[in-house]
Amino acid sequence: MKLAIIPAISMLALVACTPLERGLPDHIETVIPVEITATYRERVVLPAGSTLVATISDVSRQDAPAAIVAEQRLSLDGLPPPYRVTLEVSDPGDLRNSTHRYAARAEIRDSEGKLRFTTDTHHGVLTLGQPASASITMIRVPQSVE
């Protein structure tokens, strides 16, 4: 009788230590906020209906279009620079340790969609020791005379 109890207790211990399938993910995805400050040097009033478009892109792959991982649009009607936005980048759990490269960009378009100001410099964020913020000074895009 005593010998029959030992295998029963062993089986109970094994069952108790086995993880249950509950449909939970192997990892929990978090969101990393990235603070973007965008400005320009010119003293100009933007046309009504102008919009700031700020993006975070994965620029790791050479000779390939950058994949946008976060984007935010801000209506600039009456707002003076600098413009501040917070983009939320989904982190599958290993983003900070990744060898991927991410860049912040900003541009201003008028109500007709014409590009007025844009980023001309790489602003690295998130990985490879880069901060979760970027301060961007945009340059004016020359407008063609028609």
Side-chain angles (χ1 to χ4, degrees):
M1 175 91 170
K2 290 182 182 178
L3 292 176
I5 293 176
I6 293 175
I9 291 174
S10 298
M11 286 299 282
L12 284 174
L14 278 173
V15 170
C17 294
T18 304
L20 297 175
E21 290 293 324
R22 297 183 186 194
L24 297 176
D26 293 338
H27 55 80
I28 296 175
E29 192 167 298
T30 58
V31 173
I32 298 175
V34 179
E35 305 287 329
I36 305 291
T37 302
T39 191
Y40 51 86
R41 290 195 174 116
E42 290 81 358
R43 290 183 173 206
V44 296
V45 176
L46 295 172
S50 294
T51 303
L52 172 75
V53 180
T55 59
I56 303 294
S57 300
D58 184 344
V59 294
S60 304
R61 294 176 38 206
Q62 295 179 350
D63 299 328
I68 295 175
V69 296
E71 180 178 302
Q72 185 172 346
R73 294 174 181 268
L74 175 66
S75 176
L76 300 180
D77 288 337
L79 294 176
Y83 309 111
R84 291 180 178 83
V85 295
T86 301
L87 284 81
E88 295 183 344
V89 178
S90 295
D91 179 9
D94 60 350
L95 182 68
R96 293 280 185 166
N97 299 322
S98 174
T99 57
H100 285 237
R101 293 177 48 227
Y102 295 90
R105 287 191 42 80
E107 63 184 32
I108 296 176
R109 293 188 177 267
D110 65 17
S111 61
E112 297 173 358
K114 287 185 181 177
L115 187 62
R116 297 293 181 157
F117 290 89
T118 190
T119 307
D120 70 340
T121 307
H122 176 81
H123 297 279
V125 293
L126 296 176
T127 58
L128 306 173
Q130 301 293 330
S133 63
S135 181
I136 299 171
T137 301
M138 298 175 286
I139 62 165
R140 188 176 202 162
V141 175
Q143 300 298 309
S144 62
V145 178
E146 296 178 20

